[in-house]
Amino acid sequence: MKNIYFLLFLILLGCKSTISSVGEKTSKETAVESNYLVEQNEVSDFLKYLSSDELEGRETGTRGIEKAAVFLEDFFKKNNVKPYFSTYRDTLTNFKSPAYNIVGYLEGSDPELKKEFVILSAHYDHIGLLKNKQDDVINNGANDDASGVTVVAEMAKYFAKTKLNKRSILFVFFSGEEKGLLGSKSLVQKLKKKDFNLYAQLNIEMVGVPMKRDYLAYITGFDKSNMAESINQYTGKNTIGFLPKEAEYELFYRSDNYSFYEAFKKPCQSISTFDFENFEFYHHPSDEFQVMNIPHITKFIQEFLPAVTQITTTPTQEITMTK
């Protein structure tokens, strides 16, 4: 009987130690996440260059987007984000001129969960130069979608520094989106051939200005998965809401998330703060850095960090399709 009591004591002691170590680890991760501060000046500098006149509107296949590609490659190198392929450049297979997605990779820290991938993405191309002569012919594309690229870049920097992701992450800057989602259509076929194990994709699209609503952003295809509900649980805020205009215009099918949803049938959705009321310069030369709300973009990134952290660390796949 004494031996049985002693054995029970050892088992309970072991359980207590396991619980403590898990709790300590969770607290440590939460502390790192909570203490991480997105620097507004870095957000500003990144977005300012990507939407500058020097890049001539970043049309796919032009010298302007080539400069943008080099800028994004250098950003990944500086922040120790590895290329997923042999280089950061993923050549489009469906565009006549040389064009590239820029793809970075951070391996997950968990032996099993790292086999699953989360994609954080945005398109870095835009529509280039106007053909008619006028004072300003450069479509700078600050909101569309240099703002989204800036968000994804800051998320890449965050994970590279904190190393909190248990799942692996692809950070993808798509080209050819404005030509008919060509970059995402090209990449998705390559990943399907590699038996790519996709969990979810968050595509960031036009987040340069805030909405006058009781939520920070909306998600396309709101009712197709429980992603909105999950993100709100992870942030503890009313971060994601439903925008009727999104459903009316079927925005779910109009950005790079759709290429991945069509191929993988997994939660692949775009997040945006462009609500058809707060920005007048869609595909217009006045879509410039000067009209971007840098404090809003910085807040957007900061508020989403707990959500993307949870998406990359939960023991099970909590985000699922509902229809």
Side-chain angles (χ1 to χ4, degrees), residues 90-295:
D90 165 47
T91 304
L92 271 60
T93 57
N94 49 9
F95 192 73
K96 59 183 179 180
S97 302
Y100 315 94
N101 299 316
I102 305 299
V103 185
Y105 165 63
L106 285 179
E107 185 179 30
S109 61
D110 184 273
E112 288 302 316
L113 289 178
K114 72 178 182 180
K115 299 173 185 176
E116 302 174 8
F117 280 82
V118 173
I119 295 178
L120 301 175
S121 62
H123 71 92
Y124 76 108
D125 67 306
H126 196 50
I127 59 173
L129 305 174
L130 290 175
K131 302 295 188 291
N132 56 314
K133 293 182 179 180
Q134 58 184 65
D135 291 340
D136 186 359
V137 297
I138 301 174
N139 292 288
N140 300 82
N143 199 24
D144 185 14
D145 186 29
S147 63
V149 174
T150 302
V151 170
V152 174
E154 285 294 322
M155 290 178 176
K157 185 192 302 181
Y158 162 78
F159 281 109
K161 286 184 178 180
T162 64
K163 305 187 188 321
L164 291 178
N165 59 299
K166 295 180 181 180
R167 291 185 173 86
S168 297
I169 308 176
L170 282 195
F171 302 97
V172 185
F173 302 128
F174 293 113
S175 186
E177 193 268 358
E178 302 284 5
K179 303 292 185 182
L181 313 183
L182 295 184
S184 53
K185 288 178 179 178
S186 175
L187 177 58
V188 79
Q189 295 306 318
K190 296 174 186 177
L191 295 180
K192 285 290 285 186
K193 291 177 182 178
K194 292 170 67 72
D195 198 26
F196 187 78
N197 187 5
L198 178 63
Y199 169 32
Q201 177 195 21
L202 276 74
N203 188 60
I204 313 299
E205 180 79 54
M206 298 182 68
V207 293
V209 292
M211 302 183 293
K212 294 179 180 179
R213 301 177 187 273
D214 63 354
Y215 49 87
L216 178 64
Y218 66 89
I219 198 167
T220 63
F222 183 90
D223 61 347
K224 292 185 181 297
S225 80
N226 66 340
M227 187 181 288
E229 178 186 356
S230 297
I231 288 174
N232 289 342
Q233 288 176 351
Y234 296 155
T235 62
K237 299 179 180 180
N238 193 23
T239 300
I240 298 290
F242 171 68
L243 184 74
K245 280 285 186 183
E246 179 279 318
E248 178 184 343
Y249 289 109
E250 297 187 321
L251 299 185
F252 176 79
Y253 304 95
R254 294 174 58 180
S255 194
D256 290 306
N257 63 283
Y258 181 65
S259 301
F260 282 82
Y261 165 76
E262 191 175 33
F264 290 96
K265 295 298 186 288
K266 294 290 184 72
C268 301
Q269 290 161 277
S270 291
I271 294 168
S272 180
T273 66
F274 166 64
D275 66 358
F276 301 89
E277 299 173 10
N278 61 351
F279 191 71
E280 300 176 2
F281 308 122
Y282 175 71
H283 282 194
H284 191 282
S286 295
D287 181 5
E288 298 194 66
F289 173 77
Q290 288 80 1
V291 296
M292 294 294 93
N293 189 318
I294 301 302

